[in-house]
Amino acid sequence: MTPTPPLFLLLLGLIGAQATTAVDLRTAAAMAAGLCKTRPTDIVFIIDSSRSVRPSEFEQVKVFLAKVIEGLDVGPNATRVGVVNYASRVKNEVSLKTHKTKAGLIKAVTKIEPLSTGTMTGLSIQFALNVAFSEAEGARVKSPDISKVAIIVTDGRPQDNVKDVAQRARDAGIEIFAIGVGRVDMSTLKQMASEPLDDHVDYVESYSVIEKLTKKFQEAFCVSDLCATGDHDCEQVCISSPGSYKCACKDGFTLMDDGRSCSACSNSATDVVFLIDGSKSVRPENFELVKKWINQIIDKLDVSDSKAHVGLVQYSSSVRQEFPLGRYNNKKDLKDAVKKMAYMERGTMTGQALRHLIDNSFSAGQGARPGVTKVGIVFTDGRSQDYIGDAAKKAKEHGFKMYAVGVGNAVEDELKEIASEPTGEHYFYTADFKTMTQIAKKLQINICQEEDPCECDSLVKFQKKVEDALQALTKKLESMSKRIALLENKIV
């Protein structure tokens, strides 16, 4: 065995260190910020500072505002926040356009002073509608992508009408949350709030416990980070966006047409033939799962005239070609043909099926292309009723890359006999048909053009690739170190 070059060991060590650091950083960030982001929103807090609100209670309101703001993604293209202070008159304390950072916004909130006069709640809503939510004050043009939200905090009965003006605000697309404290008039809260009232009306006994609503409002504006929660089907890299995500691939891999899978060698032409056990032990309902599994693998292939061609053979006591290589050159037609495959039942003649693969499926007469890598994927759920040794050996001698997949009563020794070397990368087994999707994710058909390591040109290319990779990793590690230091400062 050729000894591993020291350069390789260094590269592997750096990759391992980077992976560990990235995991630790993601974990710490998730603990600090939660697994969600806030959707782009224009939020205006409308806070009552009438005589009934004591100075100490008003301070508690400001703490509540600051904690809700802390959970938002504040920024010009994310969430903008404004604050309207009211009593007998209305004061625009913070415009939606004023503060572009969370820190500056929270600092401005701490400086707000109570007005300490009457309770003109209707007037404050009218002011928010006409002024606070205007484009001149930083509100964005009405759009399905931008929510407009007003959060009203009050502890008394308004001295003016709120029903009609609240209706006009809601008709203008403003979602209203109404928070009542102490002796507040509950019917007034219901007149102001949006439907459903159970979600938009809240009550607390006193300002001292208003902070308990913080989590409710953070969750109200929260859109799950689907990458962080694992609710995605990306094979390698998941890139989060509010309420959605997109997939990407690691360096050296290409994103496939399905938008999820990654290929190391998407430009290589490949002939792939599935050899599928249709014996009676499989059962009809499981045969449908097998067809879905085939289509999962097809999704990961770069199917086209010049790249991957796919053929399908089913076997039981006899062998039946479902369709040859090259008949279908796009994924949709291929997958439709797989879905139409009828279940054969009867016995399990795996050896006979392997001989058919060698003599027919990969022949020029059945669509196989000369000089193109040949891949056979054999699926079975039981012991073969005939001898497989000679055919399995011959397939590998012909240079076919053989994958063996077994479920249930499949014999692992037979699977290993069929599979190409290294066996661990080419044979798969699961006890249950329902878990076959995991095998589809693991089975990687990456056919690359091999370079002769003895050629000087190849060695130069290899050295250049390693040097480039090391430089890229060094830059990433430096960036990671800076981010970790920033995170540690925040935690401290």
Side-chain angles (χ1 to χ4, degrees):
M1 182 181 292
T2 305
T4 305
L7 197 55
F8 261 131
L9 295 175
L10 175 60
L11 183 59
L12 289 172
L14 282 171
I15 292 170
Q18 183 196 12
T20 304
T21 303
V23 170
D24 291 343
L25 190 61
R26 286 196 299 271
T27 303
M31 290 173 64
L35 299 180
C36 72
K37 294 184 177 180
T38 54
R39 65 177 69 86
T41 310
D42 290 344
I43 300 176
V44 174
F45 291 93
I46 303 173
I47 53 174
D48 178 357
S49 67
S50 57
R51 280 186 295 264
S52 59
V53 183
R54 299 187 187 96
S56 60
E57 293 173 332
F58 192 70
E59 290 301 312
Q60 289 166 334
V61 173
K62 292 193 291 183
V63 170
F64 165 66
L65 263 60
K67 289 197 172 183
V68 174
I69 291 167
E70 189 61 47
L72 303 175
D73 293 329
V74 175
N77 298 318
T79 297
R80 301 181 185 181
V81 178
V83 182
V84 170
N85 185 12
Y86 81 94
S88 294
R89 62 187 179 93
V90 180
K91 185 179 179 183
N92 199 26
E93 300 281 3
V94 178
S95 293
L96 290 167
K97 66 181 180 182
T98 307
H99 295 284
K100 296 179 174 60
T101 66
K102 194 180 297 186
L105 182 60
I106 292 174
K107 186 175 180 180
V109 167
T110 62
K111 293 180 179 179
I112 298 173
E113 296 293 333
L115 301 174
S116 301
T117 50
T119 311
M120 301 294 283
T121 309
L123 180 65
S124 70
I125 298 172
Q126 187 67 59
F127 179 90
L129 179 59
N130 294 343
V131 180
F133 280 109
S134 68
E135 289 182 44
E137 292 299 315
R140 285 165 282 193
V141 177
K142 188 175 180 180
S143 162
D145 299 324
I146 307 293
S147 303
K148 296 191 182 297
V149 175
I151 302 174
I152 303 171
V153 182
T154 181
D155 78 335
R157 184 184 295 274
Q159 295 170 340
D160 57 355
N161 181 277
V162 298
K163 184 176 181 181
D164 295 338
V165 68
Q167 184 62 55
R168 288 196 296 274
R170 294 194 299 269
D171 291 343
I174 300 171
E175 182 181 9
I176 301 178
F177 290 85
I179 301 174
V181 183
R183 296 183 180 180
V184 71
D185 179 43
M186 293 300 296
S187 63
T188 302
L189 295 181
K190 293 175 183 177
Q191 289 175 8
M192 294 188 292
S194 296
E195 295 285 350
L197 294 178
D198 286 347
D199 293 337
H200 292 83
V201 175
D202 287 283
Y203 172 80
V204 290
E205 313 83 59
S206 68
Y207 283 105
S208 63
V209 292
I210 194 171
E211 281 185 51
K212 74 179 184 181
L213 296 177
T214 301
K215 185 178 180 182
K216 177 243 170 105
F217 281 95
Q218 287 178 340
E219 290 177 351
F221 304 122
C222 170
V223 177
S224 291
D225 183 338
L226 300 179
C227 292
T229 58
D231 295 328
H232 65 86
D233 54 1
C234 297
E235 184 177 307
Q236 290 188 358
V237 179
C238 179
I239 301 170
S240 185
S241 59
S244 186
Y245 66 91
K246 63 179 180 179
C247 300
C249 299
K250 299 173 184 176
D251 290 344
F253 289 79
T254 303
L255 189 67
M256 303 297 283
D257 291 342
D258 62 9
R260 306 187 308 268
S261 308
C262 298
S263 171
C265 311
S266 60
N267 294 323
S268 297
T270 314
D271 286 344
V272 180
V273 175
F274 289 90
L275 205 59
I276 301 302
D277 181 354
S279 60
K280 60 186 175 184
S281 59
V282 174
R283 298 204 300 270
E285 64 273 18
N286 289 331
F287 195 70
E288 292 303 311
L289 294 176
V290 173
K291 290 194 283 186
K292 288 181 180 178
W293 173 78
I294 296 170
N295 281 340
Q296 272 188 286
I297 296 174
I298 288 173
D299 268 334
K300 297 167 69 173
L301 299 174
D302 197 355
V303 178
S304 70
D305 284 331
S306 60
K307 297 180 183 177
H309 287 190
V310 177
L312 178 62
V313 172
Q314 184 184 174
Y315 71 94
S316 57
S317 296
S318 59
V319 180
R320 182 173 77 200
Q321 179 176 267
E322 301 293 344
F323 54 81
L325 288 162
R327 175 174 291 178
Y328 306 107
N329 288 324
N330 65 77
K331 290 182 183 180
K332 182 182 183 304
D333 292 344
L334 261 177
K335 292 166 74 173
D336 287 344
V338 171
K339 290 175 185 175
K340 292 174 184 175
M341 178 170 55
Y343 178 36
M344 290 176 70
E345 299 190 61
R346 295 184 294 169
T348 310
M349 303 293 283
T350 310
Q352 184 181 345
L354 286 167
R355 288 191 292 275
H356 179 90
L357 182 80
I358 297 163
D359 298 336
N360 297 285
S361 299
F362 283 133
S363 68
Q366 293 300 315
R369 294 168 289 179
V372 170
T373 302
K374 309 292 188 292
V375 176
I377 302 176
V378 182
F379 165 80
T380 182
D381 85 322
R383 182 184 294 275
S384 177
Q385 295 172 341
D386 62 350
Y387 181 62
I388 68 165
D390 291 342
K393 183 180 178 183
K394 192 174 181 181
K396 286 177 279 191
E397 287 175 349
H398 275 61
F400 303 158
K401 193 179 184 73
M402 299 297 294
Y403 291 87
V405 178
V407 177
N409 293 320
V411 179
E412 293 193 57
D413 286 344
E414 288 187 356
L415 299 176
K416 292 176 182 178
E417 194 169 5
I418 294 168
S420 294
E421 295 289 341
T423 309
E425 295 178 11
H426 294 85
Y427 115 88
F428 304 89
Y429 173 81
T430 180
D432 190 346
F433 280 88
K434 292 178 182 177
T435 58
M436 287 182 69
T437 55
Q438 298 303 314
I439 291 178
K441 290 178 182 178
K442 293 176 183 177
L443 198 155
Q444 300 288 340
I445 305 173
N446 295 329
I447 307 301
C448 303
Q449 297 297 324
E450 293 185 3
E451 294 180 345
D452 184 351
C454 296
E455 293 182 3
C456 293
D457 191 41
S458 296
L459 285 172
V460 170
K461 287 180 182 177
F462 168 75
Q463 185 176 0
K464 181 70 168 62
K465 286 180 182 178
V466 172
E467 288 174 353
D468 289 345
L470 284 170
Q471 287 178 4
L473 282 172
T474 301
K475 288 180 181 178
K476 287 181 181 179
L477 286 169
E478 288 173 355
S479 175
M480 285 283 184
S481 298
K482 291 177 182 177
R483 290 166 65 189
I484 291 169
L486 288 171
L487 191 61
E488 287 174 344
N489 290 336
K490 284 185 180 179
I491 293 172
V492 172

